[in-house]
Amino acid sequence: MSVHLTELLSSAPPYPRRVVCMTEETTEVLYRIGAGELVVGVSGFTVRPPEARKKPRVSSFLDANFERILELKPDLVLGFSDLQADLGRELCKRGVPVYLFNQRSLAEILQTVRVTGALVGRAEAAEKLAAELTANLARHAEAAQKLPRRPRIFFEEWHEPLISGIRWCSELVELVGGEDICRESRASQGAKGRIFEPEEVARRNPDGVIASWCGRKAKRDKIAARPGWSQVRAVLDDQLYEVKSSLILQPGPAALSDGVERLARIVAAVARGEKLPVPKGADLRGA
């Protein structure tokens, strides 16, 4: 190979080496496949892994500090969903390579793990992580077969308006042995298609309620005081639970590991007529 050609081909690395992640799940994937050193900027909402919080915070979910991102000289920016489309467009206009994922289902989350790894030249490690997460889901699905019944569950990701669980949450509820009473809404791409009147959810009479209000602590009194909810089975039996949004509302490894673990404990308790304890300082029961 000529010196001139070598110089031309060395102007960029074979794979990205400076990655900005505008949401948490791709950050977690990169760290879990041993590529955490590639991450040069993260979302301000990043929780997992804790060491990633030491990286420069360059975005929220709907906003980004474009100048700060450019200062980091990324050769790849990763984002999520149509809600970050404008952020991605602006970065593209400024010459930054951007990949926006749009995963909603469990299968798409696993695909995102694989693609994230492939983008940085770590396909084998990403495949191993996807296999590990898949095996964990299979373990929970097998355990669900042994439950005495399939309890009726309402998963809510917001309270005003009342929004049912996004597709991967709905799928996880059913995987661990529950029956999602608002299953039909999970086909909706956006939250608007998952809004329910409180009276309608009360009419469906869930045995258990799992709240995960994005970025906010769920409140028992707000749930129990809804119109028509005084006679809802979950309220009467005090089967009201909370799962932290950081564990279940990001479509990545957290939801398929710690998130599904907590859902499984809750659904199993409701199925057996048991009650999990209320964690210290919480309003709702937890797992």
Side-chain angles (χ1 to χ4, degrees), residues 64-72 90-91 94:
N65 185 333
F66 298 115
E67 299 306 322
R68 183 69 178 109
I69 291 174
L70 291 175
E71 288 172 2
L72 294 171
E90 180 62 28
L91 287 167
R94 299 188 184 209

Side-chain angles (χ1 to χ4, degrees), residues 22 50 78 80 136 142 147 155 157 174 206 226 232 255 267 279:
M22 295 193 296
L78 300 176
F80 166 66
N136 187 53
E142 183 178 355
L147 294 178
F155 186 105
E157 67 176 61
E174 295 196 340
R226 290 169 180 158
V232 168
V267 170

Side-chain angles (χ1 to χ4, degrees), residues 98-177:
V98 178
Y99 195 113
L100 289 182
F101 292 99
N102 213 9
Q103 70 272 27
R104 292 295 192 280
S105 68
L106 297 181
E108 289 168 350
I109 291 173
L110 291 169
Q111 182 189 77
T112 297
V113 169
R114 295 182 175 98
V115 173
T116 299
L119 286 171
V120 297
R122 308 287 179 93
E124 185 176 346
E127 184 61 46
K128 183 178 179 181
L129 174 57
E132 175 187 327
L133 296 170
T134 300
N136 187 53
L137 295 178
R139 177 174 63 84
H140 284 294
E142 183 178 355
Q145 300 300 314
K146 301 174 184 177
L147 294 178
R149 67 188 182 102
R150 293 183 66 88
R152 295 165 52 77
I153 302 294
F154 177 60
F155 186 105
E156 57 179 77
E157 67 176 61
W158 197 243
H159 59 113
E160 293 176 347
L162 192 55
I163 301 177
S164 65
I166 199 166
R167 180 172 175 175
W168 70 81
C169 294
S170 173
E171 290 180 347
L172 286 174
V173 165
E174 295 196 340
L175 182 143
V176 299

